[in-house]
Each structure stands twice: as structure tokens, then as C-alpha cells.
């Protein structure tokens, strides 16, 4: 393949490549066979008109789009490989010209990975991070466990009180008009949790089951939905049910029910041990993050806009997937929060830049230090993954693609690099 690349500007390359006339004609034939039944041509049964007749009737370009879609991915990938480019964003591809019997010429504007000039990354000074687990921390965790294991008991002999869970229907109005996201049915609202707009929950205290309550509130000036900021609103609320959280006693019986221990003292001792392990891991992670941040700060590089935009796309797609697990899609989320796709992109921009910066610098350090992930390390990682997902190791390997394996190896290299930086840091 004839491939030519031209540096347009820093990290932007114009790649010119072609597909032979023979290969493109084969792709046109495939497109013809795939679409023949779509064409009605006088004198021929549907789908039986020869390709030449279809092209004459609809012009030669009738199959070009399908043919281009068929040949372009492989041709582009081969051109990038031949030009030895490290592409970091979706390219802008154009067809230069298509002439019968001649190669089809494509151009692609390609964003490449920026060069990183490393600064100091060994011996970085960071302040020591230390988290001490107190008896109060143990008590808080114990109370949280107590709350999680509480029974919800229906109450029908008194009105709503602080700490109750009120099961309500509600609909909100601004200037007499219902607004998006302001309606709910059988919503379980804990009174005093601060979940709803300030002043909302307090106005339900004293209401009885089946009561209809007018709740008047003012949306905060910093509210996420632009059209509701600072607005006065009326919520029509119906109390369907009142529930009380009945907490279990924090005694030996409770400890034996939720743990492997027979006494509360044993359970609390184990709880403190686990909290200390979590605190140690948290301090370790934060120290590593500080070291990496400093290494990034000491390095010199420029993030191409296209690379940042591509990372924002990935972050939004990941966020959309997490929403789906919660039974919500991105459109519903934006409607509920009053956000737009543009505001979400702005929201994710800093995170995208931070992730890309860290990744670029760590990759450069790994290369400079010759840090690699050996087969044994990859195998151990796969064993851990199989245990985590409760799968047979061989079955897991069958499911992983070559790209997945490359990603696992890359992640291992990055983690080894982070560990090396932390081990060489000066903690004061």
C-alpha cells in the first residue's frame, strides 16, 4: 500500500493512503449483491438487474458508500501501522477521488500521542499521610451496621415524626405549572435526612396517613437545574404510609447474627482491625496519587484537544452504563438534573485531562525505566480476576480478546510504575 504522512502541526498528521482498484471493485460487487433486491428497474424482476444496469440507472456512485464502509477500516488500520503512528483520537477521513479503474485515495487527519519530556520523578518529596482509627470511628461503623440491619415497622397510630420514613406521592409546581422531575409516587423519604430541598421534610412533620399537604419551598440559588434556581415552588404531597426504623440491640446476639463472632467485643475488635487496614490502604493510595501528581507537574507535554474530547466521550459512555445499572438512561438523568450534554462535557473535562496526563507520564516513566509485565505476572493477575468473578481460569481466557490482554498488561505496567515511584519517594 502506498502510504504518505505529512506533519500538519504538532501531534496532527495528514495520512494519505489508497485502496487498489481491484479491491474496491470487489467491495462494489459485494455491495451490489447485498442490495440488489432494493432496486426496481423496468424490464427486470426485482433483484435480477445486472450491476451495470443498476449503475447506469442510478449512476455509478450508487454502491460507493457501502463499498467505502467495507474497505476503509482495514485500509486505515494498515496505513496507520505502516506509518508507525500512535493514534489517540478518532480520525477525520475524506475520500480524495474515485475514478473507475483507478485506486481510491483517502486522506485522514490523525491526532497522535504527544511527546512527554520527563522532569524529576524519583525522590519526590511528599508529606506523610496517616489515618488513626479511633473508638468513635468503630462506634460510627457499628451504628451504620445497626441501621442497615434495622426493621421497618409500619406506624398507623400517630403522625409523621423526625426520623420516620414517610412514603409519599408528590408533584411540584412553579407559578402553577408542573415542572420536569418534580413528580414521584410511593417515594420513601427519611424525615431529617436532608434529601429534599431545604424546608420540605420539616413541613411533613405532624401529617397523618392519607393527609394531603401543601409544601412551600424555595429552590436554592445553587440548585443544579438552571430553570429552578431561586424559584418558589409548591409541592402537592400525599402521605401514603409512615414507617419507623426499629434498631436492633447492639449486643452479643446482634454480633453473632451478622458476623462469625459470638460476642460484641470480638466483633468490635475485628471491626477496628478492618478499619485500620482500610485506613492504611487509603493512606497508601493518597500517597501514590500525590507522587504521581508531582511527577506530572514536573513533566512537559501538551494534551491535544482531540485526545481530551475522546477521553470525555469515554467517561460519559462509562457514566451512561452505570446509570443503566440503576434503571436510568442518560436522557432521563439530564432531564432530572437539568444538565445538557455540553454541561456534562464541561463537568468531565478536568477529570479527562487529569487521567490522560497521569497515563502519559506514567507510560513515559515505564519506558524510561524499562518496566514491563512478564507472562507470570499477567497469569497471576488472570488468576485473581477469575477468583473475583468466580470463573474457571480457562473460561476467562477464552472470553478475553487480544485487546483485553493488552489492556491487562498495560494496567500492570502502570501499577508497577506507580509502586516504583512511591517506593522512591521521600515521605516527610
Amino acid at each position: 500500500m502506498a502510504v504518505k504522512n505529512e506533519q500538519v502541526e504538532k501531534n496532527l498528521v495528514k495520512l494519505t493512503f489508497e485502496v487498489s482498484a481491484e479491491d474496491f471493485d470487489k467491495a462494489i460487487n459485494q455491495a451490489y449483491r447485498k442490495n440488489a433486491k432494493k432496486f426496481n428497474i423496468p424490464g427486470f424482476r426485482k433483484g435480477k438487474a445486472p450491476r451495470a444496469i443498476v449503475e447506469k440507472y442510478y449512476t455509478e456512485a450508487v454502491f460507493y458508500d457501502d463499498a467505502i464502509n467495507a474497505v476503509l477500516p482495514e485500509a486505515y488500520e494498515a496505513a496507520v501501522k505502516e506509518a508507525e503512528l500512535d493514534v489517540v483520537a478518532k480520525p477525520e477521513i475524506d475520500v480524495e477521488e474515485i475514478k473507475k479503474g483507478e485506486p481510491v485515495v483517502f486522506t485522514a487527519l490523525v491526532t497522535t500521542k504527544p511527546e512527554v519530556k520527563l522532569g524529576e520523578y524519583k525522590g519526590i518529596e511528599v508529606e506523610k499521610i496517616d489515618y488513626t482509627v479511633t473508638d468513635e470511628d468503630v462506634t460510627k461503623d457499628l451504628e451504620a451496621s445497626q441501621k442497615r440491619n434495622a426493621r421497618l415497622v409500619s406506624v398507623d397510630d400517630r403522625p409523621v415524626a423526625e426520623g420516620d420514613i414517610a412514603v409519599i406521592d408528590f408533584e411540584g409546581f412553579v407559578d402553577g405549572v408542573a415542572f420536569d422531575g418534580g413528580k414521584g409516587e410511593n417515594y420513601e423519604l427519611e424525615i431529617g435526612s436532608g434529601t429534599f430541598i431545604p424546608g420540605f421534610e420539616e413541613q411533613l412533620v405532624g401529617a397523618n396517613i392519607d393527609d394531603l399537604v401543601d409544601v412551600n419551598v424555595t429552590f436554592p440559588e445553587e440548585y443544579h437545574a438552571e430553570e429552578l434556581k431561586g424559584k418558589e415552588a409548591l409541592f402537592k404531597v400525599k402521605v401514603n404510609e409512615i414507617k419507623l426504623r426499629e434498631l436492633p440491640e447492639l449486643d452479643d446476639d446482634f454480633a453473632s447474627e451478622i458476623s462469625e463472632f459470638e460476642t460484641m467485643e470480638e466483633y468490635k475488635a475485628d471491626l477496628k482491625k478492618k478499619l485500620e487496614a482500610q485506613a492504611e490502604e487509603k493512606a497508601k493510595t493518597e500517597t501514590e496519587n500525590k507522587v504521581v501528581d508531582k511527577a506530572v507537574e514536573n513533566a512537559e507535554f501538551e494534551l491535544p484537544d482531540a485526545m481530551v474530547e475522546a477521553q470525555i466521550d469515554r467517561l460519559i459512555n462509562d457514566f451512561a452504563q452505570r446509570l443503566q445499572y440503576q434503571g436510568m438512561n442518560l436522557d432521563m438523568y439530564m432531564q432530572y438534573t437539568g444538565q445538557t450534554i455540553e454541561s456534562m462535557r464541561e463537568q468531565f473535562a478536568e477529570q479527562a485531562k487529569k487521567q490522560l496526563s497521569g497515563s502519559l507520564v506514567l507510560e513515559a516513566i515505564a519506558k524510561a525505566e524499562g518496566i514491563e509485565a512478564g507472562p507470570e505476572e499477567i497469569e497471576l493477575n488472570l488468576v485473581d480476576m477469575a477468583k473475583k468473578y468466580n470463573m474457571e481460569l480457562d473460561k476467562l481466557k477464552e472470553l478475553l480478546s487480544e485487546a483485553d490482554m493488552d489492556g491487562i498488561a498495560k494496567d500492570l505496567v502502570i501499577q508497577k510504575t506507580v509502586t516504583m515511584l512511591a517506593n522512591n519517594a521521600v515521605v516527610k
Side-chain angles (χ1 to χ4, degrees):
M1 178 188 293
V3 178
K4 182 174 70 174
N5 60 302
E6 172 191 352
Q7 196 78 33
V8 177
E9 56 185 67
K10 197 170 186 179
N11 304 122
L12 189 63
V13 173
K14 182 180 180 181
L15 193 63
T16 304
F17 57 100
E18 61 184 43
V19 172
S20 71
E22 181 183 359
D23 287 343
F24 192 65
D25 193 61
K26 287 179 181 177
I28 289 177
N29 269 329
Q30 290 175 352
Y32 159 69
R33 288 193 294 271
K34 178 182 176 182
N35 297 292
K37 292 183 178 179
K38 296 179 181 178
F39 300 105
N40 283 315
I41 297 180
F44 294 91
R45 283 185 297 155
K46 192 172 183 180
K48 296 300 182 180
R51 170 185 154 188
I53 299 297
V54 176
E55 289 177 334
K56 185 175 182 180
Y57 199 82
Y58 288 94
T59 78
E60 284 187 355
V62 65
F63 299 117
Y64 282 180
D65 284 347
D66 282 346
I68 287 170
N69 290 335
V71 300
L72 183 55
E74 185 177 343
Y76 169 71
E77 187 177 336
V80 168
K81 187 174 181 180
E82 185 172 325
E84 298 181 342
L85 299 177
D86 196 346
V87 180
V88 295
K90 188 176 179 180
E92 296 178 21
I93 299 180
D94 288 316
V95 182
E96 287 295 289
E97 58 180 348
I98 301 178
K99 291 183 181 179
K100 195 167 185 177
E102 295 184 14
V104 182
V105 180
F106 297 92
T107 60
L109 277 177
V110 176
T111 303
T112 57
K113 183 177 290 187
E115 182 182 349
V116 176
K117 183 180 178 183
L118 292 171
E120 180 185 20
Y121 60 84
K122 284 185 176 179
I124 290 175
E125 293 186 1
V126 291
E127 290 185 10
K128 184 177 181 180
I129 300 173
D130 193 15
Y131 291 103
T132 302
V133 176
T134 65
D135 290 341
E136 184 181 354
D137 295 324
V138 175
T139 300
K140 284 181 180 178
D141 202 277
L142 190 59
E143 289 174 347
S145 181
Q146 181 189 34
K147 194 172 181 179
R148 285 194 301 271
N149 287 276
R151 286 194 315 128
L152 288 180
V153 180
S154 292
V155 177
D156 57 12
D157 58 351
R158 63 166 177 78
V160 175
E162 187 81 7
D164 285 347
I165 294 172
V167 183
I168 61 172
D169 296 338
F170 63 89
E171 185 170 15
F173 301 84
V174 171
D175 298 328
V177 179
F179 56 87
D180 290 339
K183 187 175 182 179
E185 293 182 355
N186 288 320
Y187 187 93
E188 294 190 350
L189 176 62
E190 182 176 350
I191 307 301
S193 65
T195 306
F196 274 22
I197 306 158
F200 187 104
E201 295 164 23
E202 292 87 337
Q203 294 179 58
L204 294 181
V205 173
N208 290 289
I209 294 173
D210 292 331
D211 277 358
L212 300 176
V213 182
D214 284 351
V215 174
N216 292 283
V217 294
T218 301
F219 281 96
E221 291 293 341
E222 65 275 10
Y223 195 66
H224 51 68
E226 189 68 33
E227 68 276 11
L228 296 176
K229 289 182 177 179
K231 293 289 183 68
E232 293 183 357
L234 166 66
F235 281 87
K236 297 284 187 180
V237 182
K238 178 177 180 290
V239 179
N240 297 324
E241 192 177 356
I242 302 170
K243 295 180 180 181
L244 175 66
R245 188 177 276 115
E246 192 174 82
L247 299 175
E249 291 291 327
L250 293 177
D251 53 19
D252 292 345
D253 288 339
F254 177 74
S256 63
E257 284 178 12
I258 67 167
S259 74
E260 62 198 75
F261 302 102
E262 294 299 321
T263 69
M264 178 56 68
E265 286 306 309
E266 289 175 309
Y267 176 62
K268 287 170 69 175
D270 182 69
L271 189 58
K272 185 171 185 179
K273 186 177 178 181
K274 288 177 179 176
L275 289 174
E276 286 172 341
Q278 292 172 10
E280 186 177 342
E281 184 61 30
K282 181 181 179 183
K284 176 177 174 288
T285 300
E286 290 185 10
T287 299
E288 290 176 344
N289 290 340
K290 284 181 177 292
V291 174
V292 172
D293 288 345
K294 192 65 177 177
V296 170
E297 185 183 323
N298 292 342
E300 294 179 22
F301 58 93
E302 292 181 19
L303 288 176
D305 291 341
M307 189 179 186
V308 175
E309 294 300 318
Q311 182 68 6
I312 293 173
D313 288 341
R314 284 188 284 270
L315 290 173
I316 290 179
N317 287 337
D318 289 345
F319 181 67
Q321 285 186 344
R322 291 196 300 273
L323 286 176
Q324 285 183 337
Y325 296 144
Q326 301 170 29
M328 185 183 295
N329 61 39
L330 198 58
D331 288 337
M332 291 167 60
Y333 174 81
M334 288 191 290
Q335 184 178 11
Y336 179 73
T337 61
Q339 292 199 60
T340 63
I341 195 65
E342 290 77 17
S343 65
M344 286 191 67
R345 295 189 73 83
E346 290 177 11
Q347 177 183 320
F348 281 110
E350 283 307 310
Q351 183 182 350
K353 291 175 184 177
K354 184 176 177 65
Q355 289 179 347
L356 289 172
S357 298
S359 180
L360 285 171
V361 171
L362 288 170
E363 285 177 17
I365 294 172
K367 185 176 180 181
E369 294 289 328
I371 298 174
E372 297 179 346
E376 299 84 359
E377 292 171 301
I378 295 174
E379 184 73 11
L380 285 172
N381 188 268
L382 292 176
V383 170
D384 289 341
M385 285 180 64
K387 288 180 181 177
K388 179 180 178 181
Y389 296 112
N390 197 25
M391 294 177 64
E392 293 291 333
L393 180 59
D394 289 341
K395 182 63 176 178
L396 175 64
K397 289 180 178 179
E398 287 177 14
L399 296 174
L400 294 173
S401 66
E402 187 177 339
D404 292 330
M405 293 298 292
D406 288 343
I408 289 170
K410 183 179 178 181
D411 288 344
L412 282 171
V413 168
I414 293 297
Q415 187 52 55
K416 288 177 69 175
T417 305
V418 171
T419 301
M420 183 276 292
L421 291 178
N423 289 341
N424 282 276
V426 178
V427 181
K428 293 188 173 182

